[in-house]
Amino acid sequence: MGEVAIKTHSSISIAQITDSHIMPPGKWWKDNPEAKTAQRLSCVIDHINKLNPRPDLVIHTADITDGGDLESYRYAKTLLDMLEIPYCLACGNHDNFENMKQVFTHHTYFMDPHFAHYVIDSLPVRIIVLDTTVEGEIFGRLCNARIEWLARALHVSQQDTLIFMHHFPIAVQDVFFNQINLLDSTKLEAIVERNPHVLGLYCGHYHYSAVRLFGGKICFIAPSTAPAHILRGSTCIGLDFVSPSYTLHRYVHGMVTSQIIPVELN
């Protein structure tokens, strides 16, 4: 997709999908044939397409593929292009920004040559997508350049704003994920707190759902389309085959409500 221009009135519905971990055709995530990450994403896409009314926009909050390779992105694009509404992408620790841009060539909102962040300001609510990735690492961090970019983006408009990102800046129940979430988030929290038009932050990465206040605003972690991890310390010892899920965020007159929707596998 290129420019996103959907509605001029005061409400919008956004479907958030996250952590699809698509593998090349014929390969299995975590070498487990039951993982079925492509099938799980396809079922979620089909469910979104059948909603009445449909969401206005889908945002994938990253880990689109597992390996960040071109073959996986091509397969992921084939699946995501089945969406009958516009969709946008974020970049996560399993993604490769250069390969992503090479495959998703119609996603022209990626204007920065270095970071996968951008603003969509043609909607009833302003969308800011952050790039929280650190090359070669599974944790996230916002460097000074990205913090300054966010501060400028929030300064130029007082329109109600939702921030979407991969790594989450809050503590969750899993000790290991608290070591690989968004580290050094103090500056981000200060920015969120001093900008009243930021209504919330919407993240992925965890594969489970969680919510907590951050800078006085809602920080919502969406559940994944891929299975969740069963961890022993930092080691994945199995997969939790919870239903693939997505989240509907509904913005109406300055208020946001979020609903998690589990999808039955076909």
Side-chain angles (χ1 to χ4, degrees):
M1 60 178 292
E3 283 191 23
V4 181
I6 297 170
K7 287 187 173 181
T8 56
H9 54 74
S10 57
S11 67
I12 187 172
S13 180
I14 299 168
Q16 180 188 1
I17 58 179
T18 195
D19 294 88
S20 49
H21 289 274
I22 297 302
M23 302 286 291
K27 294 185 179 180
W28 307 106
W29 188 49
K30 303 295 184 185
D31 294 321
N32 189 330
E34 296 301 313
K36 300 178 180 177
T37 56
Q39 181 183 348
R40 293 167 69 95
L41 177 59
S42 294
C43 288
V44 165
I45 288 170
D46 184 60
H47 197 276
I48 292 172
N49 283 338
K50 290 178 179 176
L51 290 176
N52 186 18
R54 287 177 179 164
D56 301 287
L57 178 68
V58 173
I59 300 180
H60 192 316
T61 46
D63 282 1
I64 300 162
T65 68
D66 192 61
D69 56 285
L70 290 171
E71 186 179 10
S72 295
Y73 279 122
R74 293 187 187 105
Y75 190 24
K77 183 177 184 298
T78 298
L79 299 172
L80 289 167
D81 282 352
M82 296 300 293
L83 282 164
E84 296 172 4
I85 56 177
Y87 69 90
C88 299
L89 306 174
C91 200
N93 52 287
H94 280 271
D95 289 309
N96 180 294
F97 186 35
E98 294 305 317
N99 286 346
M100 185 192 300
K101 288 189 293 183
Q102 187 171 331
V103 172
F104 292 93
T105 55
H106 57 305
H107 288 243
T108 54
Y109 47 78
F110 287 128
M111 301 294 290
D112 192 306
H114 305 294
F115 302 120
H117 53 205
Y118 55 94
V119 177
I120 301 172
D121 54 10
S122 57
L123 307 176
V125 66
R126 199 163 182 248
I127 303 294
I128 294 180
V129 176
L130 295 182
D131 180 351
T132 59
T133 60
V134 179
E135 187 175 359
E137 302 290 352
I138 58 177
F139 60 79
R141 181 177 278 129
L142 292 173
C143 61
N144 287 336
R146 283 176 277 188
I147 285 289
E148 291 167 5
W149 178 90
L150 174 62
R152 290 194 302 271
L154 289 171
H155 179 73
V156 299
S157 173
Q158 299 300 304
Q159 184 182 3
D160 286 347
T161 299
L162 308 181
I163 296 175
F164 287 83
M165 54 203 280
H166 183 64
H167 296 87
F168 51 89
I170 60 174
V172 295
Q173 291 184 351
D174 189 282
V175 174
F176 176 64
F177 265 93
N178 288 334
Q179 299 170 6
I180 62 167
N181 62 1
L182 186 74
L183 305 183
D184 304 327
S185 59
T186 305
K187 290 181 180 179
L188 174 63
E189 187 169 19
I191 288 175
V192 169
E193 190 167 16
R194 70 172 179 258
N195 283 277
H197 52 296
V198 174
L199 302 183
L201 300 91
Y202 302 89
C203 314
H205 190 50
Y206 188 31
H207 290 223
Y208 292 108
S209 60
V211 63
R212 185 174 178 178
L213 288 179
F214 179 80
K217 313 298 171 59
I218 287 293
C219 180
F220 181 96
I221 305 174
S224 59
T225 64
H229 308 83
I230 300 174
L231 296 174
R232 180 179 294 151
S234 61
T235 303
C236 181
I237 62 172
L239 296 176
D240 185 356
F241 295 104
V242 293
S243 297
S245 300
Y246 66 98
T247 307
L248 276 180
H249 305 291
R250 177 75 172 167
Y251 169 87
V252 182
H253 298 298
M255 300 290 292
V256 181
T257 58
S258 301
Q259 178 185 5
I260 296 169
I261 300 178
V263 176
E264 186 175 343
L265 277 176
N266 297 333

